Amino acid sequence: MNEIVKRNARAILLDGDELVLIKRTKPGREPYWVTVGGGVEKDDASIEAALHREVFEELGGKLARAELVHLITDELEGGIGVQHLFAARLESMDLAARTGTEFSKPERGGYEVVHVPFTADAVRELNLMPPELADFIATNTDALVSVLDIPIREA
């Protein structure tokens, strides 16, 4: 069994009936889009806690809820990487409150927060990375909405 050497938490993030993405622009490369999220750090209490931290860092955002819906495994040097994909609903966002270090490094390119319609066609029109994620979202738009619309039962 390969060792997991990296974990990411990413949000298929809905704000009403729109998907919140980050449009990345870098010199010499076509623009592409990514979901909100990033690496799980050793200080994070859980993978879901890492997701909440990343949403705050990148959007100044809070989540109303998040449900793990998919995993993507990547072959990396020295082991494997696992991307934990959550369907999530945005509760609030304040871009002035975001704290991610990437926003103060112009050499890393542009990070533009965008809203796109949450439809299979709209997702397929974007250069959304990684391609497996774009396929998963486009194939499962209705299912992802239904997961987030299930009432939360109190324990």
Side-chain angles (χ1 to χ4, degrees):
M1 180 167 160
N2 285 333
E3 181 182 355
I4 296 174
V5 295
K6 184 175 183 183
R7 290 185 187 274
N8 282 320
R10 306 206 71 78
I12 300 166
L13 185 57
L14 296 183
D15 185 8
D17 58 0
E18 293 182 313
L19 181 62
V20 179
L21 297 171
I22 296 178
K23 181 180 179 183
R24 297 284 287 116
T25 50
K26 294 181 177 180
R29 181 171 177 180
E30 286 292 310
Y32 63 98
W33 287 256
V34 295
T35 54
V36 174
V40 176
E41 297 173 1
K42 59 180 175 288
D43 293 347
D44 291 321
S46 66
I47 295 164
E48 188 173 334
L51 180 74
H52 287 268
R53 178 184 49 75
E54 286 286 343
V55 167
F56 186 77
E57 286 178 4
E58 295 184 9
L59 302 176
K62 290 190 173 119
L63 299 178
R65 72 182 293 187
E67 299 286 338
L68 183 65
V69 293
H70 193 58
L71 300 173
I72 295 176
T73 303
D74 303 302
E75 294 288 330
L76 301 175
E77 194 173 313
I80 59 173
V82 179
Q83 295 189 50
H84 300 259
L85 304 171
F86 291 83
R89 217 171 260 296
L90 190 64
E91 180 176 301
S92 64
M93 175 171 65
D94 177 5
L95 294 180
R98 61 188 184 175
T99 60
T101 55
E102 57 269 29
F103 305 112
S104 60
K105 296 181 177 174
E107 67 275 10
R108 297 205 44 195
Y111 289 80
E112 179 188 353
V113 177
V114 295
H115 285 73
V116 298
F118 190 60
T119 65
D121 289 343
V123 170
R124 286 192 175 103
E125 287 174 16
L126 300 174
N127 183 17
L128 180 62
M129 294 292 159
E132 306 96 298
L133 175 56
D135 291 342
F136 175 76
I137 294 172
T139 304
N140 293 287
T141 50
D142 291 341
L144 290 164
V145 169
S146 74
V147 162
L148 293 172
D149 287 343
I150 296 169
I152 300 171
R153 283 201 329 228
E154 296 298 323

